Amino acid sequence: MFEFLICALAGIGAGVATGFAGLSAAVYISPILVTFLGIPSYEAIGIALASDVLASGASSLTYYRHGNIDIKRCIPLLASVISFAIIGSVVGFFVSSTDIGDTAMTYWTVLISLGLGLWFLIKPADSNHAHVFSEKTRTIFAVLLGAYTGFVCGFQGTGGGMMMLFILTIVMGYALKTAVGTSVFIMTFTALIGAISHFAINGMPDLSQLAICVVFTLIAAQISASLANKIKVSSCNLIIGVLLAVSGVIMLLINLRDSGFADFDTADLILIGAGAIFVIVLILLYEIKRLRNKDGKE
């Protein structure tokens, strides 16, 4: 029952992150599975990438229906990301196969989760950026950064969605929702290649854990993507920022406790998580009320 609950919560968190901001499911699933179930990092990343395939694919369809995907301009970026995701998967296997590498990857996933949450809270991406460079120059930068993004996504399984969002908004000048929609479209293929590479190298993970994560990630991503295309951008930033930042704090505290550097009661950690959920629910209730009032006036 504990395993089911952890996998379900990890999937829900990943689905929300994917649907609202185009983040990779591994941002949430990998550290949760590693921290709470003790699953090796490389195996957890494989489960997260597999969960990301259907969730990102379904989310991209939702964004497409709202006109928030630009496929034509992202083809060079897509090719670059996929190519280096395969390379990253191979390198990641050899690093995670050592005790030092596995420990480093565990703390890296936690810090990524915390860092991304703070990024959303402190510096939200909420506007379209002016085109400083020519289209050709932007494409070149996008391909180079895409190679780095693909490698990191294949190696660690996390951070790819956020870096994709940076490339699409800052470098290529996409509006935020178009950037998110395009990001989940690209992440569908990246996650597929990454998952296949991980399973081919490391073998299949626990199928029950995989199934639970895939189903709950897909459901949460569908609901979140539908809401994300209707609510304000500022609310999306707040929801993802709170979700990732609090998750990063909780997982960091657990790692410190397990290492003997700190002593925290499980009830205290649950209370922190409950507080984050309460804040997110308040934001969603506000947006739902705003949307109803808007519909009523129309």
Side-chain angles (χ1 to χ4, degrees):
M1 184 63 184
F2 177 74
E3 180 180 288
F4 175 86
L5 182 62
I6 293 300
C7 290
L9 291 175
I12 292 172
V16 171
T18 298
F20 272 111
L23 299 181
S24 169
V27 169
Y28 207 75
I29 291 180
S30 296
I32 290 289
L33 297 185
V34 169
T35 302
F36 288 94
L37 298 181
I39 297 175
S41 295
Y42 196 81
E43 182 179 335
I45 292 170
I47 293 175
L49 289 170
S51 302
D52 209 5
V53 176
L54 290 179
S56 293
S59 296
S60 64
L61 287 176
T62 300
Y63 278 93
Y64 178 78
R65 286 196 295 267
H66 287 82
N68 288 324
I69 287 185
D70 185 348
I71 298 176
K72 184 177 179 180
R73 290 178 60 204
C74 77
I75 291 177
L77 175 61
L78 174 62
S80 177
V81 171
I82 289 178
S83 300
F84 280 85
I86 299 174
I87 298 174
S89 295
V90 176
V91 175
F93 171 74
F94 289 106
V95 172
S96 65
S97 62
T98 65
D99 291 337
I100 295 177
D102 194 58
T103 301
M105 290 176 76
T106 298
Y107 278 98
W108 180 245
T109 54
V110 172
L111 292 176
I112 282 290
S113 180
L114 179 59
L116 291 178
L118 293 176
W119 173 274
F120 271 95
L121 291 173
I122 297 173
K123 193 177 179 59
D126 57 1
S127 62
N128 194 5
H129 293 268
H131 293 169
V132 179
F133 303 105
S134 66
E135 182 69 24
K136 181 179 179 180
T137 302
R138 289 198 303 273
T139 300
I140 293 174
F141 278 134
V143 169
L144 294 176
L145 291 173
Y148 172 74
T149 300
F151 180 84
V152 172
C153 190
F155 177 85
Q156 183 63 28
T158 186
M162 183 59 197
M163 285 185 279
M164 203 83 69
L165 198 60
F166 170 81
I167 295 171
L168 294 171
T169 55
I170 305 301
V171 178
M172 300 189 72
Y174 281 33
L176 181 60
K177 290 189 177 182
T178 303
V180 173
T182 306
S183 176
V184 292
F185 172 76
I186 295 175
M187 291 304 295
T188 302
F189 299 95
T190 306
L192 178 61
I193 296 298
I196 292 174
S197 299
H198 274 66
F199 296 157
I201 294 172
N202 199 49
M204 291 297 294
D206 185 287
L207 294 181
S208 62
Q209 295 172 348
L210 176 62
I212 296 169
C213 288
V214 168
V215 170
F216 279 91
T217 303
L218 174 61
I219 294 173
Q222 274 289 77
I223 296 173
S224 300
S226 297
L227 287 172
N229 279 277
K230 298 176 182 178
I231 68 176
K232 294 188 298 184
V233 173
S234 58
S235 295
C236 288
N237 278 290
L238 284 175
I239 290 173
I240 299 300
V242 170
L243 181 68
L244 292 179
V246 173
S247 299
V249 169
I250 291 176
M251 288 181 286
L252 180 59
L253 292 176
I254 290 175
N255 276 283
L256 291 175
R257 182 184 64 182
D258 293 343
S259 302
F261 291 105
D263 184 22
F264 296 94
D265 192 283
T266 302
D268 296 330
L269 300 177
I270 293 175
L271 185 62
I272 295 175
I277 294 173
F278 178 72
V279 172
I280 292 173
V281 170
L282 287 180
I283 297 172
L284 289 175
L285 288 175
Y286 165 78
E287 281 295 330
I288 291 172
K289 181 179 179 181
R290 184 184 67 82
L291 290 171
R292 286 181 176 176
N293 290 337
K294 181 179 179 182
D295 292 339
K297 291 179 180 178
E298 293 176 351

